[in-house]
Amino acid sequence: MAAEARTRSLVTVVAALQIGPGADLERILEFEAEIRGASLVVLPEAVLGEYPGRVPFPEYFRAAVAVPGPETRALAGLAARTGASLVVGVIERDGSTLYSTAVFLDPSLGLVAKHRKLVPTERERLFWGRGDGSTLPAVPTAAGLAGAAICWENHMPLLRAAMYAKGVEIWCAPTADDRDVWQASMRHIADEGRCFVISACPYESSGADPFRGGSVIVGPLGDVLAGPLRDGEGLITASIDLGEIVTARKSLDVSGHYARPDVFALTVDERPRDGVTFLR
């Protein structure tokens, strides 16, 4: 579908849902009416499961979700009812380890992929494990070929190069970074990758360290199409045309005519890295 989209104009609506960190499933489902009509909706990092260090660890661990599990099945139902692909930041529990994960829900197929954050940042390292190269998907959606980088993964140049090489058209960035400079990062990635960027950030008005939002949608030349949304929950939307990517990449295709494989090389290991391997 992505290859087809690059040869024709495809206009669709994409969205970012700005909602409080650690929102429960019912709170997300309350936005069903707003989500309906969008082809792709991105939600913040850790929207299911809470950002670390804000509640006691046993409580935090219990709030994490299995992937797949009841919560992802409920999100798949939301995708099916609204017709929207969803990219949702969750705290995934796998055995006794937690991960910051982005799950991909398809309206017809349900849970189709996940991406585990490769490098937790600062205090996150006390709570979260590190993902490996086996969860770096590029997922076909009605809006285009989508990939995800979570929060400060967006500052990893080699990760960006790998995802650009996969042909990502919709760059999904669930985040907890509400700083003004985050907006510059999102605009840079859109311009560098010549892709559409959807970043969803949490919002809350109380607490010792509240999040002030900043969800934004950016076009493939770095132009802001919607947002940044500040000081409230809500849904921002933008109509996008994948045909703009064709025009934008005429002058800059970082994994194509702007690459120098004779000078620079990147190897990406996508094999699962389990702690124990049983050979029989």
Side-chain angles (χ1 to χ4, degrees):
M1 183 178 67
E4 178 186 354
R6 283 190 285 270
T7 63
R8 62 183 174 85
S9 176
L10 175 61
V11 179
T12 189
V13 175
V14 297
L17 176 56
Q18 183 161 293
I19 192 171
D24 61 23
L25 186 60
E26 293 304 317
R27 179 66 179 130
I28 295 173
L29 297 178
E30 289 175 5
F31 285 87
E32 180 171 330
E34 288 89 341
I35 290 172
R36 187 173 287 109
S39 295
L40 175 64
V41 183
V42 180
L43 280 73
E45 180 181 24
V47 69
L48 278 182
E50 181 65 90
Y51 196 71
R54 298 157 70 89
V55 297
F57 184 74
E59 179 182 342
Y60 184 67
F61 185 84
R62 289 192 296 269
V65 304
V67 179
E71 292 83 2
T72 58
R73 287 193 290 272
L75 290 172
L78 177 63
R81 293 191 301 274
T82 60
S85 293
L86 305 176
V87 180
V88 184
V90 307
I91 301 305
E92 178 190 2
R93 183 178 62 250
D94 186 359
S96 295
T97 299
L98 304 180
Y99 299 91
S100 177
T101 299
V103 293
F104 293 75
L105 294 310
D106 181 88
S108 300
L109 303 175
L111 177 67
V112 291
K114 69 180 180 182
H115 165 58
R116 286 177 172 171
K117 192 173 188 178
L118 293 175
V119 183
T121 303
E122 292 190 325
R123 66 177 179 182
E124 298 171 357
R125 298 178 188 180
L126 298 174
F127 297 86
W128 298 342
R130 302 197 303 174
D132 60 30
S134 68
T135 65
L136 296 175
V139 180
T141 75
L145 191 66
I150 303 171
C151 207
W152 279 19
E153 282 188 317
N154 287 271
H155 297 322
M156 298 174 68
L158 299 185
L159 172 61
R160 297 203 307 270
M163 298 309 292
Y164 297 151
K166 287 175 178 278
V168 167
E169 297 164 315
I170 313 292
W171 185 282
C172 304
T175 189
D177 192 338
D178 61 0
R179 300 173 303 155
D180 291 335
V181 72
W182 183 255
Q183 305 299 315
S185 294
M186 295 299 95
R187 296 186 67 184
H188 168 76
I189 289 171
D191 186 56
E192 178 181 67
R194 293 302 204 251
C195 54
F196 290 95
V197 170
I198 309 170
S199 180
C201 186
Y203 169 80
E204 63 181 349
S205 58
S206 60
D209 186 21
F211 294 101
R212 64 192 185 106
S215 299
V216 67
I217 303 173
V218 187
L221 293 177
D223 47 320
V224 175
L225 305 179
L229 177 61
R230 296 289 190 191
D231 302 324
E233 293 186 335
L235 190 81
I236 59 171
T237 64
S239 293
I240 67 169
D241 182 351
L242 292 187
E244 294 180 16
I245 294 177
V246 176
T247 303
R249 290 182 181 171
K250 175 178 179 292
S251 58
L252 178 65
D253 180 0
V254 292
S255 57
H257 62 76
Y258 226 81
R260 283 295 304 272
D262 56 323
V263 180
F264 306 108
L266 172 63
T267 299
V268 181
D269 189 343
E270 294 193 318
R271 293 173 294 180
R273 294 296 185 176
D274 297 322
V276 177
T277 300
F278 294 94
L279 301 178
R280 293 185 175 89

